[in-house]
Amino acid sequence: MDNPANDSHHTKVSAAWLAEGQSSQRDMLASLQALKSQFNTPFTIIASHRHNRPEIFEFADIVYREPSVTATDSDEQTMLEAAETLTPRWEFVLEQAKNNNVKVLLTGRNGINYEAHREAFDAAGIRLLTGATSVSALETIDDKFAFMQQCHEYDIPVADAWRFDNVTELEALLAQYGHQSLCVKPVTGIFAQGFWRLGKDKEAGRENDEQYDSFEHLYFTEEKKINTEQFINAYANSIMVHECPIPMLLMPFLSGQEYSIDVVCEYGEVLAAVTRYKTGKIQHIGYEQPVMDVVIPLIKAFGCDGIVSVQTKADDDGQHRVLEINSRPSGGIGYTTHSGVDLTQIGFAYWLGLTDKPKLVDIAQQIVPCQVRSIMVGVKIEDDAVE
């Protein structure tokens, strides 16, 4: 691995850069390394992260630490002063990208910061992949309520949702919609943070999916079920919510199969995609046309651009409804390689000019349905690799 701090030699070899992501950066870098052996045209793989992440960096040719105020800067004034002197992340990445002849930059978790400066990246000849092509589109995607409203405007099947900002609004919504199975989640958030299914008090001798024991949510935490009255009480009396209000959504709980769809797209056009659903610990990989019939117009409506992930869930009638778009690769994009289709390789081979533009109909025919179980792998790190 090269150390950019000691590398003053300017190379004309093209480069691809994966900036800090949420959870799939390592798998995608591994796919890019494997892609090298498939072509005679060399290219450099660059990775960056705000933390020292050797388990990620081992798959990159060049690595950078992105500018950030660290958690060790506990003093508020110190943090403010440090932030003022830091080079903005997008500016740091742009400068190093120019130095390394980067042709493609996937921004990962900080897409909006980069998107606000798209013109500067375009001027440098860098294909910027943020998940969309405007700040407003990314902001709408991140705001699940605004996102769902826009889906309705485009007649895209989407889950219903009603926003509440305080307990009074929540109780009013429950009075109106409480006759059905319900759930709650934050207007913004990732990894199911703040998601809960709501249910009534469980009565002795009665079994019902909508009746939850008052202790269940503390004992069976992965079930994400909570008694409705307990949720109201916790929300109403939360110091955290009072000090920093958290806009929430009340939604019907859809009973059908949930899907994750990994998508390679360009300016609203789906170039390649793989569908996934989970039963227990098993991921089922394939290409489900009824799901894609919802995803394709969705990607077009929001002008998605890059590698994104979509969540859908079927309602009681089997209609697949959109839950959300994540404007970055999913944590499970690496599973797609087992189907014979590596979405990371397909996207970057095209954006680097190594292949022609992919066609969805061709990619779909190459997918071999399969089942995948994820496993945990340990990586030895040095003592200085502390976040």
Side-chain angles (χ1 to χ4, degrees):
M1 181 185 301
D2 295 334
N3 184 344
N6 299 323
D7 185 9
S8 60
H9 177 68
H10 178 76
T11 176
K12 293 185 178 180
V13 174
S14 297
W17 187 320
L18 268 62
E20 179 180 351
Q22 292 290 0
S23 57
S24 54
Q25 197 174 359
R26 173 186 164 92
D27 288 342
M28 296 181 74
L29 288 166
S31 285
L32 290 181
Q33 289 291 354
L35 181 65
K36 282 184 175 183
S37 62
Q38 300 177 25
F39 296 92
N40 294 325
T41 303
F43 63 92
T44 304
I45 300 171
I46 303 175
S48 61
H49 203 286
R50 64 192 149 134
H51 298 304
N52 183 14
R53 296 292 299 274
E55 78 282 10
I56 294 174
F57 293 158
E58 69 174 323
F59 287 103
D61 303 317
I62 297 175
V63 302
Y64 289 97
R65 290 284 292 274
E66 297 177 9
S68 70
V69 178
T70 66
T72 57
D73 297 326
S74 56
D75 179 75
E76 183 175 352
Q77 183 60 36
T78 301
M79 291 181 67
L80 289 173
E81 292 174 354
E84 290 176 356
T85 59
L86 277 179
T87 301
R89 176 186 276 107
W90 72 269
E91 188 176 329
F92 170 82
V93 170
L94 176 59
E95 187 61 30
Q96 302 307 325
K98 290 178 181 178
N99 294 339
N100 288 282
N101 198 32
V102 169
K103 297 303 181 184
V104 186
L105 168 63
L106 183 74
T107 60
R109 64 177 294 165
N110 298 294
I112 289 179
N113 294 337
Y114 293 94
E115 184 59 48
H117 304 279
R118 174 174 288 275
E119 290 185 359
F121 287 89
D122 288 345
I126 298 170
R127 181 69 169 89
L128 184 66
L129 304 173
T130 66
T133 57
S134 70
V135 170
S136 61
L138 290 173
E139 289 177 339
T140 299
I141 289 171
D142 284 348
D143 183 322
K144 294 179 177 62
F145 186 66
F147 167 77
M148 290 173 172
Q149 300 309 302
Q150 189 161 324
C151 284
H152 283 302
E153 293 176 8
Y154 285 96
D155 293 324
I156 295 170
V158 64
D160 290 325
W162 309 286
R163 174 172 170 155
F164 62 91
D165 292 271
N166 53 61
V167 70
T168 301
E169 294 177 354
L170 170 58
E171 290 177 330
L173 290 172
L174 287 170
Q176 185 174 359
Y177 301 107
H179 61 280
Q180 58 191 307
S181 297
L182 296 168
C183 60
V184 293
K185 67 179 181 180
V187 169
T188 61
I190 59 173
F191 299 142
Q193 184 181 45
F195 170 83
W196 290 96
R197 290 182 61 182
L198 302 182
K200 302 175 183 177
D201 288 319
K202 180 173 285 188
E203 299 178 22
R206 295 183 60 185
E207 292 295 331
N208 188 300
D209 288 342
E210 295 178 26
Q211 295 181 341
Y212 305 148
D213 183 86
S214 61
F215 192 64
E216 280 190 46
H217 72 284
L218 298 176
Y219 195 76
F220 301 110
T221 55
E222 292 185 359
E223 296 295 321
K224 305 294 284 186
K225 297 179 180 180
I226 189 171
N227 177 287
T228 302
E229 291 303 316
Q230 286 185 304
F231 179 84
I232 294 173
N233 182 65
Y235 182 73
N237 294 285
S238 169
I239 295 176
M240 179 180 75
V241 171
H242 281 297
E243 292 181 347
C244 185
I246 303 174
M248 301 283 291
L249 298 177
L250 180 69
M251 304 173 61
F253 178 76
L254 303 179
S255 61
Q257 183 64 60
E258 183 169 349
Y259 279 83
S260 297
I261 306 93
D262 299 296
V263 183
V264 177
C265 48
E266 183 172 59
Y267 308 130
E269 179 185 0
V270 177
L271 306 182
V274 172
T275 62
R276 296 184 283 117
Y277 70 90
K278 191 175 181 181
T279 56
K281 300 294 184 181
I282 305 299
Q283 293 274 352
H284 300 260
I285 317 297
Y287 187 88
E288 302 287 343
Q289 190 60 54
V291 176
M292 291 304 302
D293 288 342
V294 175
V295 172
I296 291 172
L298 175 72
I299 295 299
K300 181 179 180 180
F302 286 87
C304 292
D305 186 59
I307 301 179
V308 304
S309 61
V310 176
Q311 304 294 127
T312 69
K313 205 170 194 295
D315 60 20
D316 294 345
D317 298 321
Q319 169 66 57
H320 295 283
R321 295 187 177 275
V322 176
L323 297 178
E324 62 185 20
I325 298 175
N326 293 304
S327 57
R328 56 193 172 272
S330 72
I333 191 172
Y335 301 150
T336 69
T337 61
H338 298 283
S339 70
V341 169
D342 188 321
L343 293 180
T344 300
Q345 292 185 357
I346 289 172
F348 276 86
Y350 167 57
W351 290 313
L352 285 168
L354 303 175
T355 62
D356 293 332
K357 184 176 180 178
K359 294 181 179 180
L360 178 60
V361 63
D362 294 336
I363 301 299
Q365 293 176 353
Q366 298 172 24
I367 296 171
V368 179
C370 62
Q371 298 180 12
V372 177
R373 180 190 292 271
S374 63
I375 60 173
M376 184 177 294
V377 177
V379 178
K380 183 179 180 179
I381 61 176
E382 302 300 327
D383 291 341
D384 63 347
V386 178
E387 297 183 6

